[in-house]
Each structure stands twice: as C-alpha cells, then as structure tokens.
Amino acid sequence: MRVAINVRNANLAIPDGTGESMRGLVGGLARTNPGHDLDLLADAAPRFAIPVDTRIRFRAMSPFVGGNRGLRSAFGGDPWYRVRVAADGCWRRWDGYVQSAHEPPPAFGIKARVAIVHDLAFTHRDASSNFGAAVRSELDRWTALNVHLARAIVAVSESVAFDVVRTYGVPRDRVIVAHHGFDRERFHCNHADPQITACRWRHGIEQSYLLFVGTIQPRKNIPALVEAVARARAAGMSVVLVVAGADGWESEKSLEAMARAGPQAVRHLGRVPADDLPLLMAGAQAFVSVARAEGFGMPALEAMASGIPVVVTNEGGLAEVVGDAGLHVDPGSPDEISQALMRVIEDTALRESLITRGLGRAAGFTWDTAARSVWGAIEQACASC
C-alpha cells in the first residue's frame, strides 16, 4: 500500500504535545513498517529528522499562491488541507491517509481515512471556561467531520476513545487505542548530577522544587495548583513550584495567580530549551499536574521515566497514563492536592515506591507499540474500502 501521513503540524517543530506526538509516531511507523510506502505531507521543507528509508518520501506541497479566499469560501477551512492535499490525493491515489482529527480534512480525493483524536476537551462540560466559542466551534466542526469520514479512528487513550464514542456516536469497534511513547534518549534516570545542577543554575533555581510542564491555558488548572502549593508551604513544605511552559490562550488568570504567589513560591520559566527540559525533570523532587480533560499526559510519562514521583489529577488521560504508579488527586481540591504534595516530599518510603513503580510503568509505553496499533488502524481502514 501507499499511505500518506499529514505531518504539517509536526513540521512546525515547536514543543507542543500534538506535534511532538506525531514526530514520535513517524519514527515508530518507520521502524515497524510491515512493507508499505509512506508519503509524509507538509507545506514546507522538513524541520525535524525524517527517518532514512527508501519507502519514506517527504512531500513539501506549497500552499496556493492565489485564490485562497475563493477556495476557502467554496470548501471552508484552510485551502491547503481542503484542496491542495485533496488534489494530490487524486493524483497519487493513496490507499490510506492519516491526519489529526482536529485539522481540516481534504474535501475529496481520499480513499481510506484514519483520524487521530488527541482529546475532546473542547466538548467537556467546562469547555466554555477553557476555550473561546469560535475555537470550540472550529475544533468540533473538523473533529466531527474527520471522525465520521474516517474508516478507522485512533484515540490516544481509553479515556479519549470513550469520549469519541459518547460524543460522536461512532461504533466502538472503529476506535483503536494507541498510547503515546516517549523519547528514551532524552528522558531517563541516568543524567549526570553536574549537568542537572548546571541546568538548575541556568534557570535560577536554588532550592528543591516541584515541576509542572505544559502550555499555560485554563484547563491546566494552574490557579488551583498554585493555591495548593501555597497551603503546603504554609504547613512547612519548603520547595518551590517551577512552571515550564509557554503562554497559551487565555493564560491571564494563570499568570496572575503565579505572580501573586511571588518568586519565592512559584517560578515561571516560560518555554525552556529542549535540551534543558529532561534535566529539569530529572532534578525535580516530583512532577505535578492537576490539569483537566487531558487526552494523554506526556509530561507525566516523561517524569516517571526520569525517576521522579508524580502527582496527577484523578481524571482523564493523566490518570490513565499514570495508573497506580503515582498519587491521584481531585483537581478541584487545593487541600487534597497540597496534602499529596507534602506526602510525596516527606514520606521517603512512599517516594521510593512511586519512583520504582513509575519506572516500571513508563517502560511499557513505546512509539513502536503505538505505531503497530496505527498500522493496524490503517490496514483496517483500507480493507473496508
């Protein structure tokens, strides 16, 4: 078969979860390829490492120079997705086509489609607090269309699979779960202490710290986390909360909460260099995320692989990824969060148990395993045409 994978978002080469996961998946698809040809589609030359394989071709398809307003009016959405990819599909006659469900699908020219659903946070009951109305409408429009056009659907967790079936009414047997992997070369528990110390000093971290990693947006629930840290510090916990992540949409309340807490309690580093993130992870006393409606929870997986204990919300993909290898808390209860943070810092036996369980848990998540599931979805989709 000849299969096209739309990697436009991944080719932006920015450290967002969707792009990172697609880049990891591409490597896994190359390593586990059962003998198919792969076309990787983007709108510019490759900005990330493409596997060297005679069966893999990177196709940089330039956007249309003109006429985009008319094409957008006729087809809706970005003309590159809706028409440019569609036209190439007519020409190349791909047997299968894979893309994120949250981006506009080609309007024609595609046979067997596979849609990857990363989360449905924009459909949850508190979505209006986390997304603007226009963003919710756009995400729901394209996700619904992709899901219903797809011959097979890939969900990144059982939690997301449940949401897809409940929200869009598709049969459960059309949804295949493919948990993400992680970069084992970057995230591990064998970093040299001098490197970790040097990284801490580069970022001005002079005391023990908890770490949160993620784009700053409402559903990351930063104000509740900051309040929990303040209560733990008032009860005698001396560590600081370090927040590593770029400002996202509607981040004002989160930024205000961190500013009110002051630098002695919360350090907001913004987006950190890719080489520093594994060192920051390895040097932390614990990783904590009380985000809501997460489809997966990649930073929590990377934290477990780095040999630090984790405290996460008791719902969604985060809880699923961590399983019994971390502490689970009610994301709406700063008291419960603060108590869990104090336990994980002060209880040495608990810390050691969580670290051991976390390393074992993380070992089961690989990109090759995810890729085999995606290949299964592709072959299922093609067989149904």
Side-chain angles (χ1 to χ4, degrees), residues 11 39 41 110 137 176-177 189 247 271:
N11 199 46
D39 286 355
L41 314 180
I110 303 297
S137 176
I176 294 172
V177 173
C189 57
D247 296 351
R271 179 178 292 162

Side-chain angles (χ1 to χ4, degrees), residues 25-101:
L25 180 61
V26 165
L29 290 170
R31 289 188 297 271
T32 60
N33 190 345
H36 306 308
D37 292 317
L38 276 181
D39 286 355
L40 304 179
L41 314 180
D43 63 348
R47 299 189 181 99
F48 68 102
I50 304 301
V52 178
D53 190 314
T54 56
R55 288 189 172 274
I56 298 177
R57 297 176 179 83
F58 188 95
R59 299 195 182 280
M61 302 184 297
S62 300
F64 296 116
V65 175
N68 286 287
R69 181 176 296 179
L71 290 170
R72 185 178 290 273
S73 176
F75 293 96
D78 187 332
W80 185 86
Y81 286 99
R82 299 290 281 156
V83 184
R84 183 71 177 87
V85 173
D88 215 52
C90 290
W91 170 253
R92 302 196 185 279
R93 298 182 181 276
W94 297 308
D95 297 292
Y97 172 81
V98 183
Q99 75 162 60
S100 166

Side-chain angles (χ1 to χ4, degrees), residues 8-291:
R8 186 184 189 186
N9 189 22
N11 199 46
L12 297 174
I14 58 176
D16 72 304
T18 302
E20 289 279 4
S21 66
M22 187 60 83
R23 290 189 286 273
L25 180 61
V26 165
L29 290 170
R31 289 188 297 271
T32 60
N33 190 345
H36 306 308
D37 292 317
L38 276 181
D39 286 355
L40 304 179
L41 314 180
D43 63 348
R47 299 189 181 99
F48 68 102
I50 304 301
V52 178
D53 190 314
T54 56
R55 288 189 172 274
I56 298 177
R57 297 176 179 83
F58 188 95
R59 299 195 182 280
M61 302 184 297
S62 300
F64 296 116
V65 175
N68 286 287
R69 181 176 296 179
L71 290 170
R72 185 178 290 273
S73 176
F75 293 96
D78 187 332
W80 185 86
Y81 286 99
R82 299 290 281 156
V83 184
R84 183 71 177 87
V85 173
D88 215 52
C90 290
W91 170 253
R92 302 196 185 279
R93 298 182 181 276
W94 297 308
D95 297 292
Y97 172 81
V98 183
Q99 75 162 60
S100 166
H102 311 309
E103 300 167 6
F108 54 87
I110 303 297
K111 295 180 183 178
R113 302 176 189 239
V114 176
I116 302 177
V117 185
H118 297 275
D119 68 64
L120 292 186
F122 52 88
T123 70
H124 287 204
R125 63 182 181 275
D126 57 352
S128 60
S129 301
N130 300 329
F131 302 89
V135 172
R136 294 201 313 275
S137 176
E138 190 82 349
L139 286 170
D140 186 44
R141 174 191 181 189
W142 297 132
T143 304
L145 185 55
N146 273 301
V147 163
H148 288 299
L149 287 172
R151 298 289 182 129
I153 300 157
V154 173
V156 303
S157 64
E158 293 287 352
S159 173
V160 171
F162 176 83
D163 282 351
V164 169
V165 173
R166 178 189 60 182
T167 304
Y168 297 115
V170 299
R172 180 60 180 85
D173 61 7
R174 280 177 53 201
V175 185
I176 294 172
V177 173
H179 288 133
H180 292 329
F182 66 96
D183 189 338
R184 282 169 156 70
E185 293 184 2
R186 296 178 62 221
F187 296 95
H188 54 80
C189 57
N190 296 314
H191 292 286
D193 288 340
Q195 290 181 311
I196 295 172
T197 300
C199 180
R200 287 179 57 175
W201 283 103
R202 279 197 299 275
H203 294 282
I205 304 170
E206 299 180 4
Q207 64 188 105
S208 297
Y209 63 96
L210 303 164
L211 182 66
F212 167 83
V213 177
T215 302
I216 309 305
Q217 51 178 283
R219 67 189 178 100
K220 301 302 182 181
N221 203 21
I222 297 295
L225 177 55
V226 169
E227 175 61 24
V229 170
R231 295 185 188 189
R233 286 175 60 85
M237 188 181 76
S238 60
V239 298
V240 65
L241 172 65
V242 171
V243 176
D247 296 351
W249 55 87
E250 299 184 15
S251 60
E252 293 78 12
K253 290 184 179 179
S254 298
L255 296 174
E256 290 169 3
M258 290 188 283
R260 284 195 303 270
Q264 73 283 355
V266 180
R267 293 289 314 282
H268 180 207
L269 304 183
R271 179 178 292 162
V272 302
D275 289 344
D276 280 1
L277 186 55
L279 297 171
L280 283 173
M281 194 80 81
Q285 290 293 298
F287 171 84
V288 56
S289 175
V290 292

